[in-house]
Amino acid sequence: MSADGSRRIRNVFGFRGTVGSRKAVGTAILAGLLLVTACGTDSGADTSAQSTSVTQAAARTDQQNLSMTVPGTLAADFAELQTGLRGHIGMAIMPVGGDQMVTFGDWTTGPAWSTMKIPLTIAALRANSVSSSYTVSSAITASDNAAADTLWQSLGTGQDAAKAVEAILRQGGDTKTTVPATRARAEHSAFGQADWALSEQVRFASRLPCLPQTENVTNLMAQITPSQRWGLGEFTGAEFKGGWGPDTSGDYLVRQFGVIPVPNGQLAVAFAAQPDSGTFSDGMAVLDKLATLLSEHLNELSGGACE
């Protein structure tokens, strides 16, 4: 532990695989770190490269922008899943303490909904250590909106509260997300309407276990009520939070973020679904599918840990 209470971060993130086919569809895996790029095919590849490792191929100076998908990998199977869905989905993964992320899909950003209750709760606890444990627990484990509003109000004016939550985001590596001080839609919280990109959310998640004074919150993220344990909740030992809500047309966005255990540590995950049907149940079902897909490929990834 350093003098300021922060835990030093160790980064380990790897990928194992070889190019086994020229029938490549989907995203890219580059330089030994999963870096997803545009969809494409590689039907003109030299057959002599079929046994070349991904790391070796990407390291060649004439292939720095190489785009490929190894059949049977997470990238390929995500692309296959996406083609069978009606709607928009997105997923981002990053090792805890890491500095490289992988992004998938065509959904990239939207309202945070109740996922913003995590930095909100951290801000409230730091500002007022005597906050009701029941209020804190309810805001996270049951996603109780009244409890979260109480935490928001404990931070002062709307402007004060917004700045306090943003400060937690900045400490977690999110340098872009802004939190509104007032409600854009009267029926929904101000903080829930913050636009939170998957890339920034997974970056925050990757640092969350390493931030000082967050153990209480991350412990509660492992105790989500059974009715909300879909998606990431299927992973044993997951620490996560979901969020969901309708747009002005009544169509639902459903999203989650958190960390899950992998063989070499923890992996930060953020994903979202906006089904064409607009129903919450369909969005929830898509996140279940994404979690199942991820569980089938954990052996491709190494996690990270805090020191």
Side-chain angles (χ1 to χ4, degrees):
M1 189 81 72
S2 62
D4 64 359
S6 299
R7 284 165 278 181
R8 292 189 301 111
I9 296 172
R10 174 171 59 86
N11 172 26
V12 281
F13 187 39
F15 170 79
R16 296 186 296 275
T18 58
V19 179
S21 170
R22 290 180 297 162
K23 295 179 180 179
V25 205
T27 45
I29 306 170
L30 301 182
L33 297 173
L34 282 172
L35 298 176
V36 179
T37 59
C39 298
T41 62
D42 189 23
S43 59
D46 188 337
T47 56
S48 64
Q50 290 184 0
S51 61
T52 301
S53 73
V54 174
T55 303
Q56 291 170 335
R60 286 171 50 184
T61 56
D62 63 338
Q63 296 188 27
Q64 289 303 305
N65 295 315
L66 180 68
S67 179
M68 68 175 72
T69 295
V70 181
T73 62
L74 176 59
D77 288 351
F78 181 95
E80 183 178 357
L81 173 64
Q82 186 175 21
T83 60
L85 296 175
R86 293 186 177 181
H88 302 282
I89 59 173
M91 179 169 71
I93 59 177
M94 189 173 185
V96 165
D99 57 9
Q100 296 286 349
M101 71 177 67
V102 192
T103 60
F104 305 81
D106 60 355
W107 193 96
T108 58
T109 193
W113 293 118
S114 289
T115 61
M116 192 58 75
K117 290 174 181 174
I118 299 304
L120 166 61
T121 303
I122 296 170
L125 284 172
R126 289 186 180 179
N128 181 13
S129 60
V130 296
S131 293
S132 165
S133 59
Y134 176 79
T135 300
V136 169
S137 176
S138 295
I140 296 177
T141 63
S143 201
D144 185 277
N145 291 330
D149 285 341
T150 298
L151 296 177
W152 176 261
Q153 292 164 13
S154 74
L155 292 170
T157 66
Q159 193 66 40
D160 290 338
K163 288 182 178 178
V165 178
E166 282 183 12
I168 301 300
L169 294 175
R170 299 296 179 266
Q171 189 175 35
D174 180 348
T175 62
K176 299 179 180 179
T177 304
T178 58
V179 179
T182 58
R183 298 176 181 236
R185 295 166 60 189
E187 68 274 27
H188 300 295
S189 65
F191 56 86
Q193 289 299 290
D195 192 85
W196 203 359
L198 280 183
S199 57
E200 296 306 315
Q201 189 173 62
V202 80
R203 194 186 312 280
F204 176 79
S206 75
R207 284 154 176 73
L208 177 59
C210 309
L211 297 179
Q213 299 176 291
T214 59
E215 290 87 351
N216 187 23
V217 171
T218 55
N219 286 340
L220 289 171
M221 291 170 70
Q223 302 172 42
I224 300 299
T225 187
S227 64
Q228 296 177 22
R229 295 195 67 86
W230 30 266
L232 291 177
E234 296 297 320
F235 289 93
T236 300
E239 298 169 352
F240 70 101
K241 181 71 186 76
W244 57 92
D247 61 17
T248 54
S249 299
D251 293 335
Y252 269 76
L253 164 68
V254 185
R255 60 188 302 176
Q256 282 181 329
F257 86 111
V259 296
I260 60 173
V262 292
N264 292 347
Q266 288 181 304
L267 187 70
V269 182
F271 46 38
Q274 197 158 20
D276 286 349
S277 68
T279 67
F280 168 69
S281 59
D282 283 352
M284 182 173 60
V286 172
L287 294 200
D288 280 339
K289 291 180 180 179
L290 288 172
T292 297
L293 176 66
L294 187 60
S295 71
E296 294 170 348
H297 292 278
L298 292 183
N299 64 331
E300 297 175 21
L301 305 170
S302 294
C306 305
E307 290 185 347

